[in-house]
């Protein structure tokens, strides 16, 4: 009986060629180069003016004000938002109802409208007082003196932020399985210990990605305070270009500063997420962009040569 010839050594593996992918990459690269060339060589951008005003004292003061508003509103907003989330998850219908109504109102009213309402609160309450029944009035102040533009901005930003933070925290807490909580109860943990040692560490994985995006969005939202003449980055740029009439270069200065600050926050978000996700496998930690950018395993084509 004759043996069947073995042509294994003659097999050739050919990787699949993605011509459309390379063509689209070339088209995108051409558009990016053309746009960069246009921006660099267009004299109307006035890059010299941008470089001159990028570190101007008023601009730096605006950067500090923007960072202050962002830090205060994020810290207080997420602290209050956590309380609202726990109220929403409570079995008490009054607490859950108040939390739902608060979130519904402050998510439904635009941030700019909230800012104007707090800035003009004296029209509704010219005088704010604190009194105790049987004791009388123990403290009072004029609303205009109590609610300054900075205070109005902080109150509006915190109220706005806490409404969104409450939903983020609530979703993160609900992502933790009931089995984890029951196991902690079986070990004799008290409710506060269960929340601190079991629920919160696991919920952070679900909370951090949207929370990071919300913080970056809040930094950009602070730009609305310029309408009440609070000197943030945008208002500082407006002050300069109203004097020099160099509108576009100064707006680009504000744009570059916002890009710089949001980039720093994005880097910080990446490392914080990696810290809390250190128990997750490397494949699960990979970002969505990296997952989409990674090429699928190529299909092979085999051809057998005739010997």
């Amino acid at each position: 009986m004759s043996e069947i010839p073995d042509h294994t050594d003659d097999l050739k593996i050919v990787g699949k060629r993605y011509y459309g992918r390379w063509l689209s990459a070339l088209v995108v690269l051409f558009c990016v180069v053309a746009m960069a060339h246009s921006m660099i060589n267009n004299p109307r951008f006035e890059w010299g003016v941008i470089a001159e005003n990028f570190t101007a004292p008023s601009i730096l003061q605006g950067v500090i004000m923007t960072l202050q508003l962002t830090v205060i509103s994020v810290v207080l907003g997420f602290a209050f938002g956590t309380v609202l989330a726990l109220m929403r998850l409570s079995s008490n219908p009054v607490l859950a109802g108040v939390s739902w109504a608060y979130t519904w109102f402050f998510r439904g009213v635009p941030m700019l409208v909230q800012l104007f309402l707090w800035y003009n609160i004296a029209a509704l309450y010219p005088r704010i007082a604190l009194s105790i029944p049987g004791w009388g009035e123990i403290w009072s102040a004029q609303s205009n003196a109590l609610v300054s533009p900075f205070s109005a901005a902080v109150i509006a930003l915190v109220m706005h932020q806490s409404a969104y933070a409450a939903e983020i925290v609530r979703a993160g807490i609900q992502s933790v399985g009931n089995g984890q909580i029951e196991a902690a109860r079986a070990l004799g943990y008290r409710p506060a210990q269960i929340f601190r040692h079991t629920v919160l560490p696991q919920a952070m994985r679900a909370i951090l990605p949207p929370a990071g995006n919300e913080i970056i969005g809040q930094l950009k939202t602070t730009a609305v305070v310029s309408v009440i003449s609070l000197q943030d980055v945008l208002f500082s740029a407006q002050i300069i270009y109203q004097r020099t009439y160099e509108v576009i270069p100064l707006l680009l200065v504000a744009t570059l500063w916002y890009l710089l600050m949001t980039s720093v926050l994005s880097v910080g978000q990446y490392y914080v997420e990696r810290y809390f996700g250190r128990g997750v496998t490397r494949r699960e930690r990979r970002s969505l962009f990296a997952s989409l950018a990674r090429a699928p395993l190529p299909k092979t084509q085999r051809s057998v040569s005739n010997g």
Side-chain angles (χ1 to χ4, degrees), residues 29-43:
L29 183 62
F30 174 79
C31 294
V32 171
V33 172
M35 185 179 299
H37 180 270
S38 173
M39 293 174 62
I40 294 173
N41 293 280
N42 188 344

PDB file of all heavy atoms in Angstrom, residues 29-43:
ATOM      1  N   LEU A  29      -4.784  60.770   8.344  1.00  0.00           N
ATOM      2  CA  LEU A  29      -3.476  61.409   8.536  1.00  0.00           C
ATOM      3  C   LEU A  29      -3.326  62.619   7.620  1.00  0.00           C
ATOM      4  O   LEU A  29      -2.792  63.662   8.046  1.00  0.00           O
ATOM      5  CB  LEU A  29      -2.369  60.393   8.262  1.00  0.00           C
ATOM      6  CG  LEU A  29      -0.937  60.889   8.482  1.00  0.00           C
ATOM      7  CD1 LEU A  29      -0.724  61.291   9.935  1.00  0.00           C
ATOM      8  CD2 LEU A  29       0.074  59.817   8.083  1.00  0.00           C
ATOM      9  N   PHE A  30      -3.800  62.521   6.406  1.00  0.00           N
ATOM     10  CA  PHE A  30      -3.733  63.658   5.478  1.00  0.00           C
ATOM     11  C   PHE A  30      -4.554  64.833   6.004  1.00  0.00           C
ATOM     12  O   PHE A  30      -4.106  65.987   5.965  1.00  0.00           O
ATOM     13  CB  PHE A  30      -4.242  63.233   4.092  1.00  0.00           C
ATOM     14  CG  PHE A  30      -4.345  64.377   3.118  1.00  0.00           C
ATOM     15  CD1 PHE A  30      -3.224  64.859   2.472  1.00  0.00           C
ATOM     16  CD2 PHE A  30      -5.577  64.964   2.860  1.00  0.00           C
ATOM     17  CE1 PHE A  30      -3.316  65.927   1.585  1.00  0.00           C
ATOM     18  CE2 PHE A  30      -5.686  66.017   1.971  1.00  0.00           C
ATOM     19  CZ  PHE A  30      -4.547  66.501   1.326  1.00  0.00           C
ATOM     20  N   CYS A  31      -5.758  64.547   6.533  1.00  0.00           N
ATOM     21  CA  CYS A  31      -6.605  65.625   7.075  1.00  0.00           C
ATOM     22  C   CYS A  31      -5.948  66.284   8.286  1.00  0.00           C
ATOM     23  O   CYS A  31      -5.996  67.509   8.431  1.00  0.00           O
ATOM     24  CB  CYS A  31      -7.969  65.063   7.448  1.00  0.00           C
ATOM     25  SG  CYS A  31      -8.959  64.485   6.048  1.00  0.00           S
ATOM     26  N   VAL A  32      -5.317  65.474   9.164  1.00  0.00           N
ATOM     27  CA  VAL A  32      -4.659  66.038  10.347  1.00  0.00           C
ATOM     28  C   VAL A  32      -3.492  66.924   9.947  1.00  0.00           C
ATOM     29  O   VAL A  32      -3.305  68.028  10.476  1.00  0.00           O
ATOM     30  CB  VAL A  32      -4.189  64.893  11.274  1.00  0.00           C
ATOM     31  CG1 VAL A  32      -3.310  65.440  12.389  1.00  0.00           C
ATOM     32  CG2 VAL A  32      -5.391  64.160  11.864  1.00  0.00           C
ATOM     33  N   VAL A  33      -2.668  66.455   8.986  1.00  0.00           N
ATOM     34  CA  VAL A  33      -1.518  67.249   8.538  1.00  0.00           C
ATOM     35  C   VAL A  33      -1.982  68.542   7.876  1.00  0.00           C
ATOM     36  O   VAL A  33      -1.408  69.614   8.113  1.00  0.00           O
ATOM     37  CB  VAL A  33      -0.647  66.418   7.577  1.00  0.00           C
ATOM     38  CG1 VAL A  33       0.432  67.282   6.942  1.00  0.00           C
ATOM     39  CG2 VAL A  33      -0.002  65.247   8.316  1.00  0.00           C
ATOM     40  N   ALA A  34      -3.027  68.456   7.063  1.00  0.00           N
ATOM     41  CA  ALA A  34      -3.540  69.659   6.397  1.00  0.00           C
ATOM     42  C   ALA A  34      -4.070  70.665   7.419  1.00  0.00           C
ATOM     43  O   ALA A  34      -3.834  71.874   7.302  1.00  0.00           O
ATOM     44  CB  ALA A  34      -4.639  69.273   5.405  1.00  0.00           C
ATOM     45  N   MET A  35      -4.777  70.166   8.445  1.00  0.00           N
ATOM     46  CA  MET A  35      -5.309  71.068   9.468  1.00  0.00           C
ATOM     47  C   MET A  35      -4.183  71.715  10.268  1.00  0.00           C
ATOM     48  O   MET A  35      -4.206  72.919  10.551  1.00  0.00           O
ATOM     49  CB  MET A  35      -6.247  70.298  10.398  1.00  0.00           C
ATOM     50  CG  MET A  35      -6.957  71.159  11.425  1.00  0.00           C
ATOM     51  SD  MET A  35      -8.080  70.194  12.463  1.00  0.00           S
ATOM     52  CE  MET A  35      -9.213  69.578  11.212  1.00  0.00           C
ATOM     53  N   ALA A  36      -3.165  70.905  10.643  1.00  0.00           N
ATOM     54  CA  ALA A  36      -2.042  71.452  11.400  1.00  0.00           C
ATOM     55  C   ALA A  36      -1.282  72.480  10.577  1.00  0.00           C
ATOM     56  O   ALA A  36      -0.873  73.534  11.087  1.00  0.00           O
ATOM     57  CB  ALA A  36      -1.111  70.320  11.833  1.00  0.00           C
ATOM     58  N   HIS A  37      -1.087  72.198   9.287  1.00  0.00           N
ATOM     59  CA  HIS A  37      -0.388  73.146   8.410  1.00  0.00           C
ATOM     60  C   HIS A  37      -1.159  74.454   8.300  1.00  0.00           C
ATOM     61  O   HIS A  37      -0.569  75.554   8.324  1.00  0.00           O
ATOM     62  CB  HIS A  37      -0.205  72.513   7.028  1.00  0.00           C
ATOM     63  CG  HIS A  37       0.496  73.403   6.050  1.00  0.00           C
ATOM     64  ND1 HIS A  37      -0.178  74.287   5.221  1.00  0.00           N
ATOM     65  CD2 HIS A  37       1.827  73.566   5.770  1.00  0.00           C
ATOM     66  CE1 HIS A  37       0.691  74.942   4.475  1.00  0.00           C
ATOM     67  NE2 HIS A  37       1.920  74.525   4.780  1.00  0.00           N
ATOM     68  N   SER A  38      -2.505  74.357   8.199  1.00  0.00           N
ATOM     69  CA  SER A  38      -3.319  75.565   8.093  1.00  0.00           C
ATOM     70  C   SER A  38      -3.247  76.401   9.367  1.00  0.00           C
ATOM     71  O   SER A  38      -3.131  77.629   9.311  1.00  0.00           O
ATOM     72  CB  SER A  38      -4.767  75.165   7.808  1.00  0.00           C
ATOM     73  OG  SER A  38      -5.617  76.289   7.847  1.00  0.00           O
ATOM     74  N   MET A  39      -3.290  75.727  10.547  1.00  0.00           N
ATOM     75  CA  MET A  39      -3.249  76.464  11.812  1.00  0.00           C
ATOM     76  C   MET A  39      -1.899  77.125  12.036  1.00  0.00           C
ATOM     77  O   MET A  39      -1.821  78.251  12.534  1.00  0.00           O
ATOM     78  CB  MET A  39      -3.564  75.509  12.969  1.00  0.00           C
ATOM     79  CG  MET A  39      -4.992  74.985  12.969  1.00  0.00           C
ATOM     80  SD  MET A  39      -5.266  73.727  14.241  1.00  0.00           S
ATOM     81  CE  MET A  39      -4.926  74.692  15.717  1.00  0.00           C
ATOM     82  N   ILE A  40      -0.817  76.440  11.681  1.00  0.00           N
ATOM     83  CA  ILE A  40       0.523  76.987  11.914  1.00  0.00           C
ATOM     84  C   ILE A  40       0.819  78.153  10.997  1.00  0.00           C
ATOM     85  O   ILE A  40       1.435  79.154  11.406  1.00  0.00           O
ATOM     86  CB  ILE A  40       1.582  75.878  11.759  1.00  0.00           C
ATOM     87  CG1 ILE A  40       1.408  74.834  12.873  1.00  0.00           C
ATOM     88  CG2 ILE A  40       2.996  76.449  11.790  1.00  0.00           C
ATOM     89  CD1 ILE A  40       2.283  73.609  12.708  1.00  0.00           C
ATOM     90  N   ASN A  41       0.361  78.083   9.753  1.00  0.00           N
ATOM     91  CA  ASN A  41       0.729  79.094   8.759  1.00  0.00           C
ATOM     92  C   ASN A  41      -0.324  80.188   8.592  1.00  0.00           C
ATOM     93  O   ASN A  41      -0.122  81.097   7.791  1.00  0.00           O
ATOM     94  CB  ASN A  41       0.978  78.419   7.409  1.00  0.00           C
ATOM     95  CG  ASN A  41       2.201  77.528   7.423  1.00  0.00           C
ATOM     96  OD1 ASN A  41       3.333  77.987   7.308  1.00  0.00           O
ATOM     97  ND2 ASN A  41       1.984  76.221   7.575  1.00  0.00           N
ATOM     98  N   ASN A  42      -1.422  80.096   9.317  1.00  0.00           N
ATOM     99  CA  ASN A  42      -2.445  81.138   9.228  1.00  0.00           C
ATOM    100  C   ASN A  42      -2.051  82.289  10.157  1.00  0.00           C
ATOM    101  O   ASN A  42      -2.052  82.132  11.388  1.00  0.00           O
ATOM    102  CB  ASN A  42      -3.809  80.578   9.627  1.00  0.00           C
ATOM    103  CG  ASN A  42      -4.934  81.562   9.356  1.00  0.00           C
ATOM    104  OD1 ASN A  42      -4.704  82.751   9.144  1.00  0.00           O
ATOM    105  ND2 ASN A  42      -6.161  81.064   9.382  1.00  0.00           N
ATOM    106  N   PRO A  43      -1.729  83.470   9.625  1.00  0.00           N
ATOM    107  CA  PRO A  43      -1.278  84.572  10.494  1.00  0.00           C
ATOM    108  C   PRO A  43      -2.362  85.098  11.422  1.00  0.00           C
ATOM    109  O   PRO A  43      -2.065  85.760  12.421  1.00  0.00           O
ATOM    110  CB  PRO A  43      -0.839  85.645   9.485  1.00  0.00           C
ATOM    111  CG  PRO A  43      -1.600  85.340   8.238  1.00  0.00           C
ATOM    112  CD  PRO A  43      -1.753  83.859   8.197  1.00  0.00           C
TER     113      PRO A  43
END
